[in-house]
Amino acid sequence: MINKRLLIKNLLAHNDESSFYDKKRQLNLHTKEGKAKFLKHICALSNSNPTNNSYIVVGVEDQDNEITGNDFFDDSRIQNLVNAFLENPPKIQYENVPFPNLPKDKVVGLVTIKPNSKVSSFKKGIYTIPARTVFVRRGSNSIPTEEKIPFSKMNTETVIGIENNSRNSISYTLEGVLDFMNNRHKDMATKYHVFKELFVVCWAGNKKKVRNKTFYSRVDIELINEQVKLFYSAFDEVSIEYDDTTFSITEYVPLGLNDKTSYYPLEKQTLTFFDNGYYKIENEFLFEPPQYNRKMMFHIYNSNLSLLQKLQKGIALSENEKRDLLNLPSTLMICYLNGFEEAKQKLIDAKPLLKTIENPMVYVNFKETMRILRKVKYDKNND
């Protein structure tokens, strides 16, 4: 079992970006340009490493390797984005890795690109990348090529060596459990469970019971053996169920209009553990958005547009408008889910404005809303 925190440290210590790994300050999958850049690197790393894993580390400064962290990114459908644009797409995995010096809501992202014996190419164009383009790595650069890519094992021994030096130990596991329960979450209800005598899952959150069902808010869940954060949210409530072989997290989203909030199940994530030291993660999308009267939605949508216009013009907001601004991201999402197709793009375009608002919760709400919209999009059309 690989300790992902140790793996990231070993990758950063090995040398600068290379033909088997890349590093990024952050991912931006809200725009076509951001998606194109991400897909380009996936394509290039896959083609340059047909016999070994390759990696992208997210949340690291390019110049000095300083670990600054990134937002928790739980997009289980990132594979769908790769499948939608790449011919012969590699299997990829995105994991959130906590580091001791980072705040609770920050992690380092680790993208693992699995070996792929077939050449990956763009099956359709995106941004400035035309269809049928093939990328490879040349040092730290991902560049297009028209040459036939020779089969290569040039990085295999190096990558296997780095991975072997990143293996987990009982010491790392015990230290991880103690740190999670006694240091990082000493102000919350914490719990752990051991599966198959190998895997340790820890979770923490504010616990409450509603109609004999236990929910957690401000939830943090980690698979300690691999130093991977499975779930983190400052808002959404989750329910947790487990038995001898499985651990399930069901996430609920608070949505509503006119100060009436209801909780809607968004997604269920289930980890299944096996005796051979292997585990798998399966996701079941559950979300059914609330539907409202069309006439009322027109009024709400126009009110949100008016609020955005005031922000653009620098007009001072009333106290009521400041409260409405806090709910603007989720309200625009409800509009989008009720047939106002342009509402999503309006929200994306508003990102720079919302980021500068004095109340930081406005931007946090924006990020949470975009996370839900990504899940909805890829569940609907795998695009």
Side-chain angles (χ1 to χ4, degrees), residues 6 8 35 61-62 84 117 169 181 219 229 253 286-287 300 313 319 363 376:
L6 191 56
I8 289 171
K35 290 178 183 177
E61 292 292 348
D62 188 50
S117 60
S169 68
M181 302 188 74
V219 181
K229 194 181 288 283
V253 181
L286 306 172
F287 189 53
I300 291 171
K313 295 177 180 178
E319 290 303 315
Y363 186 61
V376 171

Side-chain angles (χ1 to χ4, degrees), residues 35-66:
K35 290 178 183 177
K37 287 181 178 179
F38 175 71
L39 291 165
K40 176 181 72 173
H41 294 308
I42 294 290
C43 180
L45 287 164
S46 177
N47 288 333
S48 301
N49 298 278
T51 60
N52 56 265
N53 290 332
S54 45
Y55 299 97
I56 300 175
V57 179
V58 183
V60 177
E61 292 292 348
D62 188 50
Q63 298 299 321
D64 56 6
N65 275 359
E66 181 187 357

